[in-house]
C-alpha cells in the first residue's frame, strides 16, 4: 500500500463533519458605524517591571534572555558578580514565572554575563562570558540543565548571541566599541573570525540579537553604559544578509527612557508570543547600584510591532497595566493519550484530529519526536503528516515529514486527490529521535512551513483555508506528540488587535480601517506601509490604553501630497477638524509629521480615530503619535541647571509650541561656541556614552554664524544655518519660535528670520537648555512665552 493510500484510510476511518465558523476578515474594511463603538476588551493584563521569586538579591534581573521551547518560555539572566551558577525561570504565558533553580553550577560561571540559550537538534547550548572574561559554550539536554562546559575560553568580549538563518548557517554576534561584531560559526562550539557591522551607538555597543521576520533581518543592540540613564536600544534592518549592511531607521532609538525611576533601558532579547504571531521585547531597567557595586536591574516585557521594514515598541510601559500576551485559540500536549474533549482518534490509532477548527488565517504549531529510536533497516521508514486546514477526509493540507528522503513537504488534498505542492530537504544532520518543531503559517494567499524556526517552504498564491489540525503517521513511526496549538493569527495580523499604549506611536496599518482605505507599501522612506484615505469618511481607529489622565498632543506623519485636505480627529469625547495647511509641511522629503491638536484623555481603554473629512485630495497616513503635553507658561524665566555641567536643562518635557528669548554676548574673540537647546527629551549625563546624549534641537553660535542641529544621541545632523555677526563685547537679542514642525530664529527684533527650518520628522515637544562652558560667551536666562 502506498503512503498516500495508508494516510487516506487513517483519515477516512475517523472523519467527522467540520463546522467552520464564519468570521469577518481581519484585514477587510470595517463599517464606519462600528469602528468607534466596538468594545475594547483588554483581558488579562501585566505590568512592568515584573518581580520574580528568587531574583539575585541586591542585583535583580539583568540582561534577560527568553527561550521559547515546546510551548513554554525559559528566562535566563546575568549572575551577580562573585556568585556561581545561572538562574532560570519558566512560564507558559510570559506573565507568570516559576523559579527553576540554578541550571548550572559550573565554577567558571562566576558572574556569568548575559547567558543566552539555543536549542538545536536535541541539545541546548548556552553562551555566556563569565565576568566579561571571554565566552564559553555549555551544553545540556534540558532547558533547565544541568549545563556542562564544553569549550575552552573563546574570547570575543561580552554579550554573545547566536542567530541561525533559514539555510542552517549560524552567526555569532557580540559587543564591541563602535559597533556589533558578527562572526560565522562552523558548529555550535566553533566561531570563525568576524567583522564589524554598521550597528553602532557611537561608543560601546552591546546586547545584540537578530531575528528574521517576513524576509527581513532585524538586529537590536544596546549602549552605551549600564549605569547611564541614556542606556538604550537601537535597531537596524536588512533584506540581504544577517552580517550585511543594515539600514538604521529614523524611529531610533527603539527603546529609551531617562525618567527618574525608569531609565537605563537595554540589553533586550526578542521572543515570539504564545499566539505564535506576536513578538515581545524583553529588557531590563536600572533600579540603582548594589551595596557591592554592581547594577541592580528589573525585568520588563513590551510588545513589538512589525510594519514592513519598520520595527516599533508598543511602549516602553512602566507602572501601568497593559494588555498581556494573547494565548493561542487551541493548545494541548497530546503525548500518547490525547484527551477526548480536545481530540478525536482516526484510523487504527495512527492519527488524531483536534475537535476545534482554526479560521482561514491561522498559525499551527506541532512539536514532536518522530520515534524513540532510529530506523534499523528492517522497519518501514517513518512518515508523519502534520495536518492543518482539515475540512474532511478529502479536503485538507499537511506538512509531511519523510524519514527516507529526510524532506519536509507541503501536501494539498482536494476532492480526495493528493498533490505535493512543494518539498525541500531538512537541515543537515537532523536527528529525528529528538524533539523538533513544524510551524504552518496560513496568511491570506500564502502558506509557509518552518522547521525548528527556519523557513523551509513558502508557497505563494495559495489561498488560506481554515479547519482542524492533527497528526497522521504510518506503521514505521512511533511519534511522541508534544505541544500542539493553533491561533487565528498569521503574518503579523495580531498587531492590528493589539491595544496600543498611550503615550506612544500607532502605525496606521495596525488600526481598524473605516470605510475603504487602501494599504500601500513602497511609498514611505523607511519601508513601512501606509494607509491611504481617498474617500470622504475613510479613516482608521486605534484601540488604546491611556496610562495617565491628562492633555495629549496628537500628531501624524502624512505625505506632503496630503496638503489641503481636512482631517477629523476623534479622541477624548470630542471631534476636532484639522486642515492640513501647506505651511505645516517640510520642503525636504515627501512626508512630514504634523500636529493634530491637544486632547484631554482619561486613563483607561478607549479609541482614537482619524478620518478624512474633505479637502478634495487623498491623505496618506503612516502613523499617529500621542505624547503627554503640559501647558506652556507665559513669560517665565528658566535658568537651566538639571542633568549635567556641559549640558543643562530646564522646563517641562511636555511643552509644545513656544517662543524662547535670550541675550547672547560674545565676551572676547574665540573659536569656542555656545548653544541653546530646544524641545529636548531623554537627556542623560554619563562619561561613558556619546557626548550628544539627548533628543532635540541645538542652536549653536560661533564665528558669525548660527547653526541648527538635529540631535538624537549618536545621530547629529546640521540641518540649517544663518548669519549672525557678533563683535567682541556685543550682545544680540535672539528669539526662537517653535510652531509645529517649523523652527524660526530672529535677531535684534528683526521681522525676517535669520534661520528657518521645518523638520519632516519633528520633535514636537520638549524642554529647553544650554550647552557649553566657554567663558568667551554669556547666554542670559531663557524667557519662555506660550503661543496661542
Amino acid at each position: 500500500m502506498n503512503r498516500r493510500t495508508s494516510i487516506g484510510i487513517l483519515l477516512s476511518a475517523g472523519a467527522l463533519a467540520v463546522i467552520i465558523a464564519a468570521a469577518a476578515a481581519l484585514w477587510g474594511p470595517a463599517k464606519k458605524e462600528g469602528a468607534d463603538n466596538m468594545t475594547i476588551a483588554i483581558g488579562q493584563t501585566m505590568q512592568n517591571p515584573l518581580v520574580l521569586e528568587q531574583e539575585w538579591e541586591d542585583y535583580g534581573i539583568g540582561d534577560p534572555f527568553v527561550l521559547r521551547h515546546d510551548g513554554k518560555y525559559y528566562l535566563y539572566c546575568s549572575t551577580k558578580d562573585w556568585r556561581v551558577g545561572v538562574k532560570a525561570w519558566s512560564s507558559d504565558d510570559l506573565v507568570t514565572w516559576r523559579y527553576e533553580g540554578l541550571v548550572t553550577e559550573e565554577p567558571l560561571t562566576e558572574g556569568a554575563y548575559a547567558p543566552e540559550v539555543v536549542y538545536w537538534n536535541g541539545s541546548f547550548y548556552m553562551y555566556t562570558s563569565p565576568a566579561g572574561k571571554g565566552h564559553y559554550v555549555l551544553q545540556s539536554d534540558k532547558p533547565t540543565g544541568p549545563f556542562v562546559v564544553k569549550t575552552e575560553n573563546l574570547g570575543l568580549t561580552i554579550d554573545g548571541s547566536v542567530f541561525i538563518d533559514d539555510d542552517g548557517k549560524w552567526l555569532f554576534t557580540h559587543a564591541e566599541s563602535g559597533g556589533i561584531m558578527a562572526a560565522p560559526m562552523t558548529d555550535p562550539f566553533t566561531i570563525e573570525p568576524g567583522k564589524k557591522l554598521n550597528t553602532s551607538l557611537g561608543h560601546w555597543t552591546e546586547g545584540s540579537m537578530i531575528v528574521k521576520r517576513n524576509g527581513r533581518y532585524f538586529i537590536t543592540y544596546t549602549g552605551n553604559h549600564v549605569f547611564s540613564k541614556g542606556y538604550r536600544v537601537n535597531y537596524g534592518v536588512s533584506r540581504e544578509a544577517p552580517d550585511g549592511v543594515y539600514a538604521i531607521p529614523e524611529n531610533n532609538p527603539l527603546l529609551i527612557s531617562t525618567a527618574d525611576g525608569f531609565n537605563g533601558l537595554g540589553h533586550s532579547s526578542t521572543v515570539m508570543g504564545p499566539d505564535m504571531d506576536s513578538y515581545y521585547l524583553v529588557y531590563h531597567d536600572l533600579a540603582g547600584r548594589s551595596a557591592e557595586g554592581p547594577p541592580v536591574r528589573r525585568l520588563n516585557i513590551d510588545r513589538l510591532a512589525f510594519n514592513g521594514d519598520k520595527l516599533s515598541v508598543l511602549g516602553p510601559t512602566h507602572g501601568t497595566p497593559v494588555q498581556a500576551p494573547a494565548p493561542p485559540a487551541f493548545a494541548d500536549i497530546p503525548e500518547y493519550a490525547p484527551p477526548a474533549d480536545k481530540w478525536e482518534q482516526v484510523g487504527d490509532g495512527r492519527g488524531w484530529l483536534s475537535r476545534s477548527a482554526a479560521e482561514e488565517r491561522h498559525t499551527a504549531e506541532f512539536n514532536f519526536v518522530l520515534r524513540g529510536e532510529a530506523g534499523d533497516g528492517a522497519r518501514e521508514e517513518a512518515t508523519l503528516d502534520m495536518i492543518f486546514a482539515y475540512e474532511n477526509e478529502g479536503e485538507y493540507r499537511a506538512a509531511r515529514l519523510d524519514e527516507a528522503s529526510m524532506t519536509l513537504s507541503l501536501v494539498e488534498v482536494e476532492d480526495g486527490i493528493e498533490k505535493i505542492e512543494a518539498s525541500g530537504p531538512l537541515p543537515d544532520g537532523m536527528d529525528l529521535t529528538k524533539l523538533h518543531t513544524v510551524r504552518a503559517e496560513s496568511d491570506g494567499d500564502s502558506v509557509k512551513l518552518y522547521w525548528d524556526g527556519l523557513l523551509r517552504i513558502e508557497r505563494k498564491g495559495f489561498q488560506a483555508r481554515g479547519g482542524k489540525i492533527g497528526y497522521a503517521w504510518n506503521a514505521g513511526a512511533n511519534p511522541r506528540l508534544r505541544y500542539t496549538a493553533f491561533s487565528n493569527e498569521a503574518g503579523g495580523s495580531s498587531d492590528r488587535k493589539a491595544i496600543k499604549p498611550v503615550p506612544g506611536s500607532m502605525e496606521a496599518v495596525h488600526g481598524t480601517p473605516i470605510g475603504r482605505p487602501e494599504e500601500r507599501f513602497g511609498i514611505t522612506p523607511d519601508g513601512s506601509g501606509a494607509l491611504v484615505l481617498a474617500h470622504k469618511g475613510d479613516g482608521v481607529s486605534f484601540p488604546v490604553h491611556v496610562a495617565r489622565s491628562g492633555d495629549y498632543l496628537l500628531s501624524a506623519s502624512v505625505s506632503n501630497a496630503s496638503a489641503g485636505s481636512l482631517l477629523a480627529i476623534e479622541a477624548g469625547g470630542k471631534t476636532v477638524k484639522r486642515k492640513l495647511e501647506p505651511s505645516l509641511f517640510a520642503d525636504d522629503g515627501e512626508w512630514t509629521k504634523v500636529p493634530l491638536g491637544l486632547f484631554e484623555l482619561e486613563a483607561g481603554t478607549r479609541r482614537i480615530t482619524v478620518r478624512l473629512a474633505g479637502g478634495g485630495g487623498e491623505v496618506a497616513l503612516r502613523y499617529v503619535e500621542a505624547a503627554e503635553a503640559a501647558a506652556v507658561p507665559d513669560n517665565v524665566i528658566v535658568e537651566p541647571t538639571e542633568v549635567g555641567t556641559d549640558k543643562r536643562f530646564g522646563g517641562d518635557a511636555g511643552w509644545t509650541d513656544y517662543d524662547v528669548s535670550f541675550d547672547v554676548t560674545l565676551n572676547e574673540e574665540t573659536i569656542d561656541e555656545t548653544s541653546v537647546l530646544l524641545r529636548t527629551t531623554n537627556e542623560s549625563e554619563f562619561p561613558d556614552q556619546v557626548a550628544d546624549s539627548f533628543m532635540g534641537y541645538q542652536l549653536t553660535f560661533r564665528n558669525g554664524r548660527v547653526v541648527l542641529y538635529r540631535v538624537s544621541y549618536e545621530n547629529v545632523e546640521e540641518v540649517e544655518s544663518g548669519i549672525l555677526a557678533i563683535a567682541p563685547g556685543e550682545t544680540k537679542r535672539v528669539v526662537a519660535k517653535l510652531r509645529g514642525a517649523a523652527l524660526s530664529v530672529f535677531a535684534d527684533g528683526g521681522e525676517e528670520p535669520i534661520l528657518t527650518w521645518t523638520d519632516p520628522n519633528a520633535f514636537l515637544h520638549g524642554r529647553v537648555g544650554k550647552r557649553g562652558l566657554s567663558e568667551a560667551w554669556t547666554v542670559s536666562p531663557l524667557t519662555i512665552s506660550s503661543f496661542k
Side-chain angles (χ1 to χ4, degrees), residues 473-663:
W473 58 92
N474 70 352
N478 181 26
R480 182 185 176 197
L481 308 179
R482 292 294 300 165
Y483 182 81
T484 307
F486 71 73
S487 74
N488 296 313
E489 309 290 353
S493 63
S494 63
D495 287 343
R496 275 193 189 274
K497 299 178 182 178
I499 297 175
K500 284 69 176 174
V502 167
S505 181
M506 299 154 272
E507 298 294 302
V509 297
H510 292 161
T512 303
I514 302 169
R516 295 176 291 161
E518 179 188 349
E519 192 174 291
R520 290 184 194 168
F521 283 84
I523 63 173
T524 65
D526 62 0
S528 62
L531 207 61
V532 177
L533 316 180
H535 311 91
K536 186 175 181 179
D538 284 355
V540 60
S541 185
F542 302 98
V544 302
H545 183 269
V546 181
R548 293 166 292 278
S549 298
D551 289 334
Y552 287 82
L553 172 67
L554 298 188
S555 58
S557 177
V558 294
S559 68
N560 288 13
S562 305
S565 296
L566 185 68
L567 293 179
I569 303 97
E570 301 168 24
K574 69 175 183 179
T575 300
V576 173
K577 291 188 177 180
R578 174 69 157 164
K579 187 174 182 180
L580 301 178
E581 299 286 357
S583 60
L584 295 172
F585 292 86
D587 293 331
D588 299 333
E590 299 179 353
W591 297 79
T592 303
K593 183 164 65 176
V594 300
L596 301 178
L598 289 173
F599 293 80
E600 184 177 355
L601 303 178
E602 294 184 4
T605 54
R606 56 201 70 257
R607 283 190 171 270
I608 294 175
T609 300
V610 178
R611 285 189 174 95
L612 179 61
E618 65 180 28
V619 172
L621 177 65
R622 288 168 69 193
Y623 59 84
V624 174
E625 284 186 355
E628 291 181 278
V632 179
D634 202 16
N635 294 318
V636 66
I637 296 176
V638 176
E639 181 58 270
T641 59
E642 298 178 30
V643 180
T645 52
D646 176 54
K647 300 181 292 297
R648 290 90 64 203
F649 301 89
D652 195 302
W655 287 353
T656 54
D657 287 357
Y658 51 79
D659 293 347
V660 183
S661 305
F662 54 93
D663 292 329

Side-chain angles (χ1 to χ4, degrees), residues 45 98 106 151 220 227 262 276 320 386 413 634 650 724 765 769:
T45 62
R98 299 171 294 273
E106 290 273 15
T151 68
T220 52
F227 277 118
F262 186 57
M276 300 164 289
T320 184
M386 287 140 281
V413 177
D634 202 16
L724 183 63
H765 61 93

Side-chain angles (χ1 to χ4, degrees), residues 459-471:
R459 179 71 160 81
K460 296 182 178 180
F462 208 53
Q463 188 64 38
R465 295 199 320 225
K468 298 182 178 183
I469 67 171
Y471 297 89

